[in-house]
Amino acid sequence: MKNSMWGKRVLAVIATATLALPLIAGCTASEAKDTEQRVLRVATMWGGQDDSYFRQQFTDAFELTHPNVTIEIVAAVDQSSMYGYGNTEEQQEAPDTMESLKKIMTGDNPVDVIVADTSTVKSLIQENLVKQLDPLMQEDKFDTSDIVPSVLEGIKDLGDQSIYALTPTFSSSALFYNKGMFEKAGVEPPTDNMTWDDIFNLGTRLTKGEGKDHVFGFSFTTYQGGPPYYSMQQYYSSLQLKTFDDKAEKMTVDSPQWEKVWSTISKLAIDKVIPKGDEPQDQNPSGRYDPVQGDLFLSGKSAMVIGDYSYINQLIDANKNADKMKDFTKVDWDVVTPPVHPEAPEIGGSIYLSNLMAINSAAQNPDDAWELIKYMNSEDWAKIKARSSYEMVSRKSFIKPKDGLDYNIQAFYSLKPIPPTNTNLDKMYQKSPGLWQVNEKGMEYFNQVLENKKTPKEALGEWAAKGNEMLEKLKKDPKATFQ
């Protein structure tokens, strides 16, 4: 009887131990996964021998909290390869960044994570080269409710409302205005979501004075100098106007929309509401360094300017040191959203997503790739990086006005970013550098409008004709250049 009972107990112990083996094995496998050293390869578009800045900005904190993962930075194009570019008699071909990126994504040792801008990521999505993140986000219950809505919507626009990348930061701009100037003029200051026409009307009312005492009502930039030919791109970019078609075969500037753009901007410049570009530069007879020289807003030369997020630092520093600067008065300022067009009321030329992080479809280490992206877009990381002076974190809970000031911080992220139109544009310019000259030719014709030598319609028609000749030549010889 005793032997029988003892035998049953032995069998019970063996059975229990057998059932526990899978659990023990599972724990061992999990622990092994946590302790094994792994390499995570992260691709950037450009890079060189020193990748310390990128690491400080993005990966150092992850490596510190994930000691078993070693980050390897892989540049699609080594910047050192550009030494001497353009300085030889024989024209060199610029590296094709997209093709270089594809090579390190599909080769024998493919990268795991790609860090790139919207145009690049959209191309990768279209070619099924990056993974959709929605299933991973759902599985890990990754919360997106605190991500700036305009940033998230901009990301979704790249992938037909699916998410293929996330970005921990974004850069942005807004419309700065001088509150004192508006109050003195008895004019209501600008508000969020105003149209370009609204802002130009306000600018006209704030324009005053002659010569060195002239004050512009509006400027596309904070600095003085240069015609508005390139800076006015902020005005028409949300309309997605193009200089030539997606194949660079035919000019598209001879249109009513382009005529309206040139008519509007040229009139503002001629009427001195905005800088024309031929104004005399401020002179500093003492020869001493003047931190506000050439700055239209700080020097009181413009009532409204479009400036990026980092411009706030200059305003804060200038106001703090006002007593040290001769003839400088503190600027009482605030910001509103950049102007919009009625045709695209939710889109502004203000938000740029240049650090989108995506997972290579052929990633060797997709698990750690997702861990990196998840960490970089977490609250913990946002809390660390929220003090950045140059970019804003994507989690809105950590976006606060600087130095305890009270200004309209939401103006920097209320509008949606402009979606990329032609994702092959960079590649086209790399293969045919002469396309830049087609664009530059437009300045010649725009200046003729500013000089009242041609109407906008005439100038655009001549640019279209000349541009078509240039495009035809580039079609036959992509390396062609023009005098």
Side-chain angles (χ1 to χ4, degrees):
M1 182 68 177
K2 287 182 179 180
N3 288 340
S4 176
M5 289 295 293
W6 182 84
K8 289 179 180 179
R9 288 175 182 172
V10 170
L11 289 173
V13 170
I14 292 172
T16 303
T18 303
L19 290 171
L21 281 175
L23 298 175
I24 295 171
C27 291
T28 304
S30 176
E31 289 171 0
K33 173 72 174 174
D34 290 339
T35 56
E36 67 176 343
Q37 290 297 315
R38 304 180 298 279
V39 174
L40 183 64
R41 307 187 80 223
V42 177
T44 60
M45 297 303 291
W46 295 83
Q49 292 296 318
D50 187 357
D51 54 22
S52 58
Y53 177 78
F54 181 86
R55 289 181 179 276
Q56 289 167 8
Q57 291 296 304
F58 297 111
T59 62
D60 279 351
F62 179 80
E63 280 191 296
L64 185 65
T65 55
H66 297 74
N68 304 318
V69 179
T70 299
I71 301 289
E72 182 183 339
I73 309 297
V74 185
V77 176
D78 185 349
Q79 286 171 307
S80 65
S81 66
M82 298 298 290
Y83 278 104
Y85 176 75
N87 293 327
T88 58
E89 291 185 6
E90 182 181 350
Q91 188 174 359
Q92 297 168 281
E93 185 171 346
D96 187 327
T97 52
M98 196 63 190
E99 288 305 313
S100 299
L101 179 60
K102 288 179 185 178
K103 284 181 182 178
I104 61 175
M105 290 179 67
T106 58
D108 294 334
N109 189 18
V111 295
D112 303 297
V113 176
I114 299 93
V115 182
D117 58 16
T118 52
S119 180
T120 302
V121 170
K122 185 170 183 176
S123 292
L124 296 177
I125 292 171
Q126 291 172 340
E127 298 187 42
N128 297 316
L129 291 174
V130 289
K131 291 190 174 186
Q132 186 177 339
L133 300 184
D134 298 270
L136 298 172
M137 295 166 68
Q138 291 167 9
E139 183 179 343
D140 285 358
K141 295 181 172 58
F142 182 81
D143 183 21
T144 61
S145 61
D146 193 40
I147 293 178
V148 172
S150 54
V151 170
L152 196 60
E153 287 304 310
I155 290 171
K156 288 180 178 180
D157 284 345
L158 300 177
D160 294 327
Q161 298 308 301
S162 294
I163 295 175
Y164 287 85
L166 290 170
T167 180
T169 61
F170 64 97
S171 55
S172 180
S173 59
L175 179 71
F176 290 79
Y177 68 94
N178 188 312
K179 295 165 71 174
M181 284 187 180
F182 276 88
E183 185 176 348
K184 190 174 181 179
V187 177
E188 285 293 316
T191 57
D192 286 340
N193 303 311
M194 274 191 161
T195 65
W196 282 101
D197 286 343
D198 291 335
I199 294 301
F200 292 154
N201 288 335
L202 285 179
T204 301
R205 296 174 68 186
L206 267 290
T207 299
K208 65 177 185 177
E210 296 294 334
K212 64 181 181 61
D213 297 322
H214 180 74
V215 175
F216 299 104
F218 172 81
S219 175
F220 286 107
T221 64
T222 59
Y223 55 86
Q224 185 178 5
Y229 176 72
Y230 285 111
S231 58
M232 71 176 177
Q233 184 177 357
Q234 298 175 80
Y235 172 62
Y236 64 77
S237 57
S238 61
L239 297 175
Q240 299 191 334
L241 298 184
K242 302 173 183 178
T243 303
F244 41 75
D245 63 19
D246 289 347
K247 294 182 179 180
E249 294 178 347
K250 183 177 176 57
M251 296 290 288
T252 58
V253 298
D254 194 5
S255 71
Q257 277 189 307
W258 270 104
E259 185 182 349
K260 181 185 176 184
V261 169
W262 277 32
S263 297
T264 301
I265 303 305
S266 61
K267 185 177 188 308
L268 290 168
I270 292 169
D271 292 345
K272 298 183 179 180
V273 176
I274 66 174
K276 189 177 178 182
D278 58 358
E279 298 82 11
Q281 298 289 309
D282 287 340
Q283 299 298 318
N284 185 356
S286 68
R288 295 177 182 174
Y289 170 66
D290 183 355
V292 304
Q293 184 177 354
D295 189 310
L296 290 168
F297 195 67
L298 280 172
S299 63
K301 297 291 186 183
S302 183
M304 297 180 287
V305 296
I306 292 180
D308 62 30
Y309 176 65
S310 65
Y311 187 60
I312 293 174
N313 298 321
Q314 292 171 250
L315 291 171
I316 292 173
D317 289 345
N319 281 345
K320 278 184 178 179
N321 296 281
D323 58 337
K324 302 175 185 176
M325 294 184 285
K326 186 179 179 181
D327 300 326
F328 175 74
T329 304
K330 285 186 178 181
V331 180
D332 186 12
W333 60 276
D334 208 335
V335 288
V336 294
T337 57
V340 298
H341 288 284
E343 303 95 312
E346 297 179 351
I347 297 176
S350 60
I351 292 182
Y352 303 95
L353 312 178
S354 56
N355 295 310
L356 288 162
M357 298 183 171
I359 301 176
N360 185 3
S361 295
Q364 302 175 88
N365 189 357
D367 293 342
D368 286 329
W370 170 235
E371 284 300 316
L372 173 67
I373 294 175
K374 192 165 58 172
Y375 176 79
M376 296 298 298
N377 290 275
S378 68
E379 290 188 3
D380 288 343
W381 193 89
K383 187 176 182 179
I384 295 170
K385 292 295 182 179
R387 299 182 186 91
S388 171
S389 297
Y390 300 99
E391 288 199 313
M392 308 177 83
V393 292
S394 295
R395 290 194 170 270
K396 60 180 184 289
S397 295
F398 299 93
I399 301 176
K400 308 288 183 185
K402 297 181 180 181
D403 278 21
L405 297 178
D406 182 19
Y407 54 86
N408 181 18
I409 188 72
Q410 292 88 354
F412 287 96
Y413 58 81
S414 296
L415 299 178
K416 289 173 61 175
I418 299 169
T421 50
N422 182 2
T423 56
N424 292 320
L425 199 58
D426 289 343
K427 188 173 183 178
M428 289 163 59
Y429 278 115
Q430 287 170 345
K431 290 189 174 181
S432 293
L435 288 173
W436 291 109
Q437 292 180 269
V438 177
N439 278 317
E440 289 169 3
K441 197 69 179 174
M443 183 185 287
E444 178 184 320
Y445 292 104
F446 186 73
N447 287 341
Q448 290 177 8
V449 176
L450 294 182
E451 295 163 5
N452 284 315
K453 293 179 179 178
K454 285 185 174 67
T455 66
K457 185 176 181 64
E458 291 169 345
L460 286 163
E462 291 185 25
W463 183 23
K466 183 63 177 178
N468 282 331
E469 289 179 16
M470 298 168 78
L471 292 176
E472 186 63 29
K473 186 175 179 180
L474 288 169
K475 188 177 179 181
K476 296 175 181 176
D477 177 14
K479 305 300 179 188
T481 58
F482 308 93
Q483 296 297 323

